[in-house]
Amino acid sequence: IGEHLLLLLSPYYILYLFSEIYSGAMRGVGESLWPALLTLFGTCVLRLGYLFLFVNQDASNAKIAFSYPLTWAVTSVMFIVYYFRGHWLSSRIRQNA
C-alpha cells in the first residue's frame, strides 16, 4: 500500500514546492500572516472539505491520497497569485523605509 501511495503522490511533489518557496520568501521579509492563512486554508480547510464531500462513503486509499496533490496545486496557485500581485512586498518596503 505504501509503495502504491508513493508512486501515486511522488510526481506531484513539484506542486508542493511552489507553495513552500513563495511562502518562505514572504516570511523572509517579515510577512507572516498571509502565508499562514493561505497555507491554513489551502492545506487544512480545503483538504478537510474534499474529504468530507467526496470521500465520506467510498473511502479508498487513492481517493484519500488525491487530496494531497489537489490541495498542493490549489495552495500553490494561491501563493503564486498573491506573490506576483506584489502588495505584500510594497507594504514591507514602506514599513522598513
Side-chain angles (χ1 to χ4, degrees), residues 32-80:
S32 60
L33 178 64
W34 281 103
L37 292 175
L38 290 174
T39 302
L40 177 70
F41 177 76
T43 58
C44 297
V45 174
L46 222 86
R47 191 172 294 158
L48 287 173
Y50 167 81
L51 292 173
F52 281 122
L53 291 175
F54 297 107
V55 184
N56 56 5
Q57 293 176 353
D58 180 32
S60 68
N61 287 337
K63 209 172 205 183
I64 293 170
F66 180 69
S67 69
Y68 286 92
L70 175 69
T71 57
W72 292 339
V74 171
T75 306
S76 292
V77 168
M78 289 189 308
F79 269 109
I80 290 168

Side-chain angles (χ1 to χ4, degrees), residues 9-45:
L9 293 177
S10 60
Y12 298 103
Y13 264 96
I14 190 76
L15 299 172
Y16 181 65
L17 294 177
F18 289 107
S19 63
E20 287 298 312
I21 290 169
Y22 289 121
S23 69
M26 287 182 244
R27 286 191 314 266
V29 297
E31 177 70 30
S32 60
L33 178 64
W34 281 103
L37 292 175
L38 290 174
T39 302
L40 177 70
F41 177 76
T43 58
C44 297
V45 174

